[in-house]
Amino acid sequence: MSDHSPAGSLPWLVPPGYDASAASLTAHVEAIGEVMAGRARLWLGPFAAPSQLPAGFEDTALVVPTSGSTGIAKAVALTREALLVSQDATAQLFAADGTAADSRGHGFWLPLLPPTHIAGVQVIARAHRTGQVLGLGRPALPEPLPDLRGHFDAAAFVALAGPALTRAEQLGLPTFTSLVPTQLSRIVTGTSGADVRARSLLKRFAAVLVGGAATSADILARCRAQKIAVRTTYGSSETAGGCVYDRAPLPGVRLRLTEPDASGAGRLEISSPTLALGYLTADGGVDTTPFASHTTADAGAGADASAGAGAGAGAGAGAERAFLTSDLAELSVDGALTVLGRADDVINTGGRKVLPQDVERAIDRSLMLRGMVRTNVVVGVADPEWGQRIEALVTLEPGIDPAEATSLVRSALRTSEVPAHMIPKRVHVVEQLPLLGIGKVDRATARRLASEAR
């Protein structure tokens, strides 16, 4: 079957449930390879694949799960073209900035993320794309594929990264990988001998993509001080993965703020050839609510940043598709993106609106809390007097008394520039923050835990 077979006529591949074993990873790598070759479609959605795709979704080649602010899983429908454009835009960036100039921006990939969400899928798909573009005859992945069961730590990374770097060097390719902030933090902040070895290997990667959640400024600073080529990424299932690297849009991507406020912040809208068709629903229907088409005049309104000829060409043609995210953001004069937080995460306390991410960043940056608070999430809990009160969940470093958590955090923030109404009323200690998807904090569960805590 050729690469040009109509997607609607291709069979669905539905791999067995992913269990992180090498056999399970192999099944997903093979399925993703069939999608990349144009021979099949891959279903990773949260419900059974439909016997027939709805009108307008016939070109669907990949379906991945995602969850919105409600926590209800949805099925994102992506075309093969969107995947290819995303992969080639990343390669174009890496070729242009010298990351991988000798291999046209493509490289060897070490897969460390589950291939059940878009970030993990794209790591594997990029490795297939490397094989296609460079004529390797196979994807640029480790042989054999790694077993990812068990706890991820420095020792596990060393065992996987060493052979991957060796194989990449044999092929004459730069080595890439993708991590979530939690994984990166463990390697960068650890003090054991294995941590030191892990950092020495991580420095040999041409690029280490980090995304899925915000990465603290401290971790990024440590990476750069240690010459680790970390690249921050921003994107979602709806954009076929990362479409903004190091705060700048990839070629062909346009960023726009809708209804910016007096400070310049607004809700982020993304126009890109990598956008999904929309959402498939369990009842056989579709949802395209956050997707829209703009005329040239519409696309030019509001704060805007774009990259590459593709973005300009799209606007000049008179129309472009756009995806309205749930994120509040700012765009600098030179187009650099700063994501402030999700619009639906805003806490309304005593008539004042608070972005929890502002409080979380203050906790992360507090010198008084350095070496005491490891991770944190801030949530709003229903309160009869304030509407919502601000509370925090934290994990602590060994040796810190959990009973002191509230006083430690409140005392530290009182000495900062954080206004009094933004300081958490209570702080709850947990063994680990609840996570959703790949490395994202599950704020709905965090709110429930805070509400139930005594």
Side-chain angles (χ1 to χ4, degrees):
M1 194 172 290
S2 74
D3 286 2
H4 301 289
S5 299
S9 67
L10 300 176
W12 282 115
L13 299 179
V14 185
Y18 180 68
D19 64 6
S21 66
S24 182
L25 182 58
T26 297
H28 284 74
V29 167
E30 292 174 351
I32 294 168
E34 291 298 290
V35 172
M36 290 295 296
R39 293 190 291 261
R41 299 177 294 179
L42 175 59
W43 184 274
L44 299 173
F47 46 84
S51 57
Q52 184 175 351
L53 287 167
F57 282 66
E58 295 89 350
D59 288 338
T60 299
L62 171 68
V63 173
V64 292
T66 191
S67 56
S69 58
T70 62
I72 298 174
K74 296 179 287 187
V76 180
L78 290 155
T79 65
R80 178 170 173 268
E81 179 184 7
L83 297 173
L84 291 172
V85 171
S86 173
Q87 294 148 18
D88 290 347
T90 300
Q92 183 180 339
L93 173 67
F94 286 171
D97 68 10
T99 299
D102 295 338
S103 57
R104 295 153 62 184
H106 297 279
F108 187 95
W109 288 86
L110 173 61
L112 296 175
L113 302 178
T116 51
H117 293 75
I118 191 62
V121 170
Q122 280 286 48
V123 164
I124 294 168
R126 291 188 192 106
H128 279 286
R129 188 62 174 158
T130 297
Q132 291 174 348
V133 171
L134 301 183
L136 302 181
R138 58 169 294 107
L141 291 166
E143 300 178 47
L145 288 165
D147 189 313
L148 300 177
R149 290 175 292 186
H151 180 67
F152 180 89
D153 56 16
F157 179 77
V158 168
L160 299 174
L165 287 162
T166 298
R167 180 57 180 156
E169 290 168 359
Q170 292 171 348
L171 293 171
L173 294 174
T175 314
F176 304 134
T177 194
S178 184
L179 301 172
V180 296
T182 301
Q183 292 173 316
L184 181 65
S185 177
R186 288 175 185 167
I187 294 174
V188 172
T189 63
T191 57
S192 70
D195 292 309
V196 174
R197 290 191 294 275
R199 288 193 287 273
S200 69
L201 290 175
L202 200 58
K203 286 192 289 189
R204 293 168 57 190
F205 281 74
V208 179
L209 309 188
V210 58
T215 306
S216 74
D218 174 62
I219 295 300
L220 293 177
R222 292 191 189 206
C223 286
R224 285 155 185 156
Q226 297 174 50
K227 308 270 190 254
I228 296 171
V230 63
R231 308 294 293 266
T232 61
T233 67
Y234 170 83
S236 64
S237 300
E238 292 86 348
T239 62
C243 62
V244 177
Y245 279 52
D246 298 322
R247 302 176 61 200
L250 285 177
V253 176
R254 182 193 297 275
L255 308 179
R256 175 176 174 265
L257 301 182
T258 64
E259 301 179 0
D261 61 22
S263 69
R267 192 164 167 184
L268 178 64
E269 184 179 71
I270 301 172
S271 297
S272 170
T274 68
L275 293 186
L277 296 172
Y279 305 108
L280 296 169
T281 58
D283 60 4
V286 301
D287 177 10
T288 57
T289 305
F291 297 88
S293 293
H294 289 313
T295 64
T296 302
D298 292 334
D304 182 278
S306 61
E320 60 182 6
R321 290 188 70 236
F323 169 64
L324 183 61
T325 74
S326 297
D327 290 321
L328 296 174
E330 295 175 339
L331 289 173
S332 68
V333 174
D334 61 358
L337 174 68
T338 299
V339 177
L340 303 175
R342 291 179 65 92
D344 47 16
D345 287 339
V346 172
I347 301 169
N348 195 324
T349 179
R352 297 181 178 183
K353 294 182 178 180
V354 175
L355 269 173
Q357 291 83 0
D358 288 342
V359 186
E360 292 162 3
R361 283 188 282 268
I363 294 174
D364 285 337
R365 294 169 180 169
S366 171
L367 295 178
M368 290 180 61
L369 298 176
R370 190 70 51 83
M372 292 190 283
V373 173
R374 178 174 294 173
T375 60
N376 78 94
V377 59
V378 172
V379 296
V381 176
D383 185 274
E385 180 181 359
W386 298 96
Q388 288 180 298
R389 65 178 180 273
I390 298 175
E391 299 194 358
L393 270 62
V394 302
T395 62
L396 299 177
E397 298 290 355
I400 305 302
D401 184 359
E404 301 296 323
T406 295
S407 61
L408 284 172
V409 171
R410 286 178 59 81
S411 296
L413 294 185
R414 285 194 194 102
T415 67
S416 70
E417 296 181 356
V418 174
H421 71 275
M422 292 174 57
I423 297 176
K425 306 293 185 186
R426 297 175 64 191
V427 177
H428 312 283
V429 177
V430 294
E431 289 188 6
Q432 61 180 19
L433 300 182
L435 299 180
L436 180 70
I438 303 180
K440 293 183 179 179
V441 174
D442 184 347
R443 290 185 181 273
T445 298
R447 280 192 292 271
R448 178 179 58 78
L449 293 174
S451 298
E452 295 173 352
R454 299 295 181 185

